[in-house]
Amino acid sequence: MTTTTSTTNVELPALGEAVTEATITRWLKAVGDEVEHDEPLLEVATDKVDTEVCSPAAGILAQIIEPEDAVVEVGAVIAVISAAAPASIEAGPPEPENVPAAAEPVPAPQPAETPTDRVEKLPRIRRTIAQRMLASLQTSAQLTTVIEVDLTNVAAVRNRNKAEFHVRTGHKLSYLPFVVRAAVEGLAAHPVINSSLNADCTEVTYHSAVHLGLAVDSDKGLMVPVIRNAESMTLADLAEAIAASALAVRSGSIRPDDLSGGTFTITNTGSRGALFDTPIINQPQSAILGVGTVVERLVPARDELGNLLVKPSSMAYLSLSYDHRIIDGADAARYLATVRERLERGFDDADLR
């Protein structure tokens, strides 16, 4: 039996200014399932972000045109929604009645289970990360310089303000916004750190604005949302922007356009307890700053009279990986020294208002 109904084509929507195609990673509905308008229908992945595609109409998923793992261009029809349920399948012949049941076989002994390796397909976003990190190492000569910074003054400001900041903004106040503010300020005095070298190493672009990439860990993999014009933002602005960007990544609401155009990147590996690491540059940028975990320990110091003291301090490592084709070790050390001086000078309570 055939029923004529109105149908709606499901097209792959635009996913960002520079995105032309996506991979279908998972259908959330099967043929015959009911769907509501704007209900998530499938998941897709691009080279920038994973996202959900919602149904453009209510009805029944009548046809899936593009299967999982298919690479589809933006605008292509990937499924069809029917306004009414498809015709029911005719029933088969009736089961015979009063037929004696066959005797159940005696179950045979189960063989002992042997452990097996699990093999699964690498997610699209993980493949993209792998390709980009390898390409970055093959593109530029990368070196890492590490310094230690005393965050005791920052810790004092943070402790005085974190409760009020959380009530006012709904976000926790970490050490990261303070490091970001100092790092962004330092780029003005050391513009080569916020630059890009062209492919044939003949021209360098010194970026007038700081479009800050911030590496965020999520269940779907590492993403780097971009906080644009970070140089014009206050410490309070940065703290809220960092929290909002991380939330957008982890909730799956980040847009592809929010993941492109960065000029300098910071990765907070200390959030998972790492002292420091050697991060890989996000091409075509020239540098990336790694922030280690903050650790309280006894540190030697001297008072105004030169007497040796041992005092508890909040210490952290900052590691700068840089493109040695354009940035020398001395350039990296000078930049890190500027960032350290700004952090050790500290901030005022008013900076967080």
Side-chain angles (χ1 to χ4, degrees):
M1 177 178 177
T2 304
T3 303
T4 303
T5 61
S6 60
T7 59
T8 301
N9 289 337
V10 181
E11 299 179 353
L12 182 66
L15 300 171
E17 184 178 352
V19 178
T20 60
E21 65 180 22
T23 300
I24 296 176
T25 53
R26 184 162 69 110
W27 281 97
L28 303 176
K29 297 289 185 178
V31 172
D33 286 352
E34 293 185 5
V35 294
E36 300 294 332
H37 180 256
D38 278 341
E39 181 181 10
L41 191 60
L42 70 153
E43 293 178 348
V44 299
T46 72
D47 60 351
K48 295 179 179 178
V49 70
D50 291 358
T51 189
E52 293 178 341
V53 174
C54 296
S55 176
I60 303 296
L61 180 56
Q63 183 183 7
I64 292 178
I65 297 174
E66 297 291 350
E68 292 181 358
D69 293 329
V71 179
V72 183
E73 292 186 356
V74 170
V77 177
I78 56 178
V80 176
I81 302 293
S82 173
S88 60
I89 300 174
E90 294 183 3
E95 292 289 334
E97 297 182 1
N98 301 323
V99 178
E104 295 185 1
V106 178
Q110 294 292 326
E113 294 186 2
T114 57
T116 58
D117 295 337
R118 186 178 81 243
V119 179
E120 59 184 31
K121 191 170 184 179
L122 197 64
R124 172 71 179 266
I125 190 170
R126 191 71 253 173
R127 281 180 279 165
T128 300
I129 292 171
Q131 293 165 357
R132 287 184 172 176
M133 294 300 97
L134 182 59
S136 178
L137 291 172
Q138 293 173 336
T139 298
S140 59
Q142 300 192 21
L143 191 63
T144 303
T145 296
V146 181
I147 66 164
E148 192 173 32
V149 59
D150 188 337
L151 294 176
T152 303
N153 290 335
V154 169
V157 175
R158 173 178 175 266
N159 290 335
R160 287 197 303 267
N161 291 275
K162 62 183 180 180
E164 186 275 336
F165 184 84
H166 186 262
V167 170
R168 175 163 50 88
T169 68
H171 302 304
K172 293 182 179 179
L173 182 62
S174 69
Y175 286 95
L176 184 59
F178 299 93
V179 177
V180 167
R181 181 66 249 171
V184 170
E185 288 182 16
L187 294 175
H190 305 274
V192 70
I193 309 297
N194 189 42
S195 68
S196 298
L197 189 64
N198 69 347
D200 58 3
C201 301
T202 59
E203 291 183 349
V204 58
T205 300
Y206 297 94
H207 302 290
S208 58
V210 179
H211 299 319
L212 179 70
L214 190 70
V216 176
D217 183 36
S218 73
D219 293 339
K220 295 183 177 179
L222 187 71
M223 298 185 191
V224 187
V226 176
I227 299 173
R228 304 191 189 281
N229 300 303
E231 78 286 352
S232 65
M233 303 175 77
T234 65
L235 177 60
D237 293 336
L238 285 170
E240 294 195 50
I242 290 167
S245 295
L247 179 62
V249 167
R250 291 168 181 151
S251 66
S253 62
I254 194 75
R255 301 174 302 173
D257 287 345
D258 296 331
L259 299 167
S260 61
T263 61
F264 178 74
T265 296
I266 294 179
T267 177
N268 184 24
T269 54
S271 63
R272 295 295 182 265
L275 289 176
F276 65 89
D277 64 354
T278 56
I280 299 175
I281 297 170
N282 190 6
Q283 298 290 336
Q285 300 169 26
S286 292
I288 178 172
L289 181 69
V291 183
T293 191
V294 180
V295 178
E296 289 187 337
R297 66 171 185 268
L298 295 177
V299 176
R302 293 191 180 275
D303 62 16
E304 295 84 355
L305 300 177
N307 300 313
L308 183 64
L309 304 174
V310 178
K311 62 175 184 176
S313 300
S314 297
M315 306 298 294
Y317 292 104
L318 302 181
S319 54
L320 185 76
S321 291
Y322 52 95
D323 187 346
H324 205 1
R325 297 176 302 169
I326 184 174
I327 300 173
D328 290 331
D331 297 321
R334 282 190 287 264
Y335 169 73
L336 287 172
T338 298
V339 175
R340 176 172 56 197
E341 187 278 330
R342 179 66 184 91
L343 287 169
E344 294 184 349
R345 179 159 36 102
F347 296 84
D348 297 325
D349 295 343
D351 292 327
L352 287 166
R353 301 294 189 267

CSV table of all heavy atoms in Angstrom, one decimal, residues 231-254:
chain,number,residue,atom,x,y,z
A,231,GLU,N,43.7,42.2,23.1
A,231,GLU,CA,44.5,43.3,23.7
A,231,GLU,C,43.7,44.4,24.2
A,231,GLU,O,44.1,45.3,25.0
A,231,GLU,CB,45.5,43.8,22.6
A,231,GLU,CG,44.9,44.7,21.5
A,231,GLU,CD,44.0,43.9,20.5
A,231,GLU,OE1,44.0,42.7,20.5
A,231,GLU,OE2,43.3,44.6,19.7
A,232,SER,N,42.4,44.5,23.7
A,232,SER,CA,41.5,45.6,24.2
A,232,SER,C,40.7,45.2,25.4
A,232,SER,O,39.8,46.0,25.8
A,232,SER,CB,40.6,46.0,23.0
A,232,SER,OG,39.8,45.0,22.6
A,233,MET,N,40.8,44.0,25.9
A,233,MET,CA,40.0,43.5,27.0
A,233,MET,C,40.6,43.6,28.3
A,233,MET,O,41.9,43.5,28.5
A,233,MET,CB,39.6,42.0,26.7
A,233,MET,CG,39.0,41.8,25.4
A,233,MET,SD,38.7,40.0,25.0
A,233,MET,CE,37.3,39.7,26.0
A,234,THR,N,39.8,43.9,29.3
A,234,THR,CA,40.3,44.0,30.7
A,234,THR,C,40.5,42.6,31.3
A,234,THR,O,40.1,41.6,30.7
A,234,THR,CB,39.3,44.8,31.6
A,234,THR,OG1,38.1,44.0,31.7
A,234,THR,CG2,39.0,46.2,31.0
A,235,LEU,N,41.1,42.6,32.4
A,235,LEU,CA,41.3,41.3,33.1
A,235,LEU,C,39.9,40.6,33.4
A,235,LEU,O,39.8,39.4,33.1
A,235,LEU,CB,42.0,41.5,34.4
A,235,LEU,CG,42.2,40.2,35.3
A,235,LEU,CD1,43.0,39.2,34.5
A,235,LEU,CD2,42.9,40.6,36.6
A,236,ALA,N,39.0,41.4,33.8
A,236,ALA,CA,37.6,40.9,34.0
A,236,ALA,C,37.0,40.4,32.7
A,236,ALA,O,36.4,39.3,32.7
A,236,ALA,CB,36.7,41.9,34.7
A,237,ASP,N,37.2,41.1,31.6
A,237,ASP,CA,36.6,40.7,30.3
A,237,ASP,C,37.2,39.4,29.9
A,237,ASP,O,36.6,38.5,29.4
A,237,ASP,CB,36.9,41.8,29.3
A,237,ASP,CG,36.2,43.1,29.5
A,237,ASP,OD1,35.1,43.0,30.1
A,237,ASP,OD2,36.7,44.1,29.0
A,238,LEU,N,38.6,39.3,30.1
A,238,LEU,CA,39.2,38.0,29.7
A,238,LEU,C,38.8,36.9,30.5
A,238,LEU,O,38.6,35.8,30.0
A,238,LEU,CB,40.8,38.2,29.8
A,238,LEU,CG,41.4,39.1,28.7
A,238,LEU,CD1,42.9,39.4,29.1
A,238,LEU,CD2,41.4,38.4,27.4
A,239,ALA,N,38.6,37.1,31.8
A,239,ALA,CA,38.2,36.0,32.7
A,239,ALA,C,36.8,35.4,32.2
A,239,ALA,O,36.6,34.2,32.1
A,239,ALA,CB,38.1,36.4,34.1
A,240,GLU,N,35.9,36.3,31.9
A,240,GLU,CA,34.6,35.9,31.4
A,240,GLU,C,34.7,35.3,30.0
A,240,GLU,O,34.0,34.3,29.7
A,240,GLU,CB,33.6,37.1,31.4
A,240,GLU,CG,33.3,37.6,32.8
A,240,GLU,CD,32.1,38.5,32.9
A,240,GLU,OE1,31.1,38.1,32.4
A,240,GLU,OE2,32.2,39.6,33.5
A,241,ALA,N,35.5,35.8,29.1
A,241,ALA,CA,35.6,35.3,27.8
A,241,ALA,C,36.2,33.9,27.8
A,241,ALA,O,35.8,33.0,27.0
A,241,ALA,CB,36.4,36.2,26.9
A,242,ILE,N,37.2,33.7,28.6
A,242,ILE,CA,37.8,32.4,28.7
A,242,ILE,C,36.8,31.3,29.2
A,242,ILE,O,36.7,30.2,28.7
A,242,ILE,CB,39.0,32.4,29.7
A,242,ILE,CG1,40.2,33.3,29.1
A,242,ILE,CG2,39.5,31.0,30.1
A,242,ILE,CD1,41.3,33.6,30.0
A,243,ALA,N,36.1,31.7,30.3
A,243,ALA,CA,35.1,30.8,30.8
A,243,ALA,C,34.0,30.5,29.8
A,243,ALA,O,33.6,29.3,29.6
A,243,ALA,CB,34.5,31.3,32.1
A,244,ALA,N,33.5,31.5,29.1
A,244,ALA,CA,32.5,31.3,28.1
A,244,ALA,C,33.0,30.4,26.9
A,244,ALA,O,32.2,29.6,26.4
A,244,ALA,CB,32.0,32.7,27.6
A,245,SER,N,34.2,30.6,26.5
A,245,SER,CA,34.7,29.8,25.4
A,245,SER,C,34.9,28.4,25.8
A,245,SER,O,34.5,27.5,25.0
A,245,SER,CB,36.1,30.4,25.0
A,245,SER,OG,36.0,31.7,24.4
A,246,ALA,N,35.4,28.1,27.0
A,246,ALA,CA,35.5,26.7,27.4
A,246,ALA,C,34.1,26.1,27.5
A,246,ALA,O,33.9,24.9,27.1
A,246,ALA,CB,36.2,26.7,28.8
A,247,LEU,N,33.1,26.8,28.0
A,247,LEU,CA,31.8,26.3,28.2
A,247,LEU,C,31.2,26.0,26.8
A,247,LEU,O,30.5,24.9,26.6
A,247,LEU,CB,30.9,27.3,28.9
A,247,LEU,CG,29.4,26.8,29.1
A,247,LEU,CD1,29.3,25.6,29.9
A,247,LEU,CD2,28.6,28.0,29.7
A,248,ALA,N,31.4,26.8,25.8
A,248,ALA,CA,30.9,26.6,24.4
A,248,ALA,C,31.5,25.3,23.8
A,248,ALA,O,30.8,24.6,23.1
A,248,ALA,CB,31.2,27.8,23.6
A,249,VAL,N,32.8,25.1,24.0
A,249,VAL,CA,33.4,23.9,23.5
A,249,VAL,C,32.8,22.7,24.2
A,249,VAL,O,32.5,21.7,23.5
A,249,VAL,CB,34.9,24.0,23.7
A,249,VAL,CG1,35.6,22.6,23.5
A,249,VAL,CG2,35.6,25.0,22.8
A,250,ARG,N,32.8,22.7,25.5
A,250,ARG,CA,32.4,21.5,26.2
A,250,ARG,C,30.9,21.2,26.1
A,250,ARG,O,30.5,20.0,26.2
A,250,ARG,CB,32.8,21.6,27.7
A,250,ARG,CG,34.3,21.5,27.8
A,250,ARG,CD,34.8,21.9,29.2
A,250,ARG,NE,36.3,21.9,29.2
A,250,ARG,CZ,37.1,22.6,29.9
A,250,ARG,NH1,36.5,23.5,30.8
A,250,ARG,NH2,38.4,22.5,29.9
A,251,SER,N,30.1,22.2,25.8
A,251,SER,CA,28.6,22.0,25.6
A,251,SER,C,28.3,21.6,24.2
A,251,SER,O,27.1,21.3,23.9
A,251,SER,CB,27.9,23.2,26.1
A,251,SER,OG,28.1,24.3,25.2
A,252,GLY,N,29.3,21.8,23.3
A,252,GLY,CA,29.0,21.5,21.8
A,252,GLY,C,28.4,22.6,21.1
A,252,GLY,O,27.9,22.5,19.9
A,253,SER,N,28.3,23.9,21.7
A,253,SER,CA,27.7,25.0,21.0
A,253,SER,C,28.7,25.9,20.3
A,253,SER,O,28.3,26.9,19.7
A,253,SER,CB,26.9,25.8,22.1
A,253,SER,OG,27.7,26.4,23.1
A,254,ILE,N,30.0,25.6,20.3
A,254,ILE,CA,31.0,26.4,19.6
A,254,ILE,C,30.7,26.4,18.1
A,254,ILE,O,30.3,25.4,17.6
A,254,ILE,CB,32.4,25.9,20.0
A,254,ILE,CG1,33.4,26.9,19.6
A,254,ILE,CG2,32.7,24.5,19.4
A,254,ILE,CD1,33.5,28.1,20.5
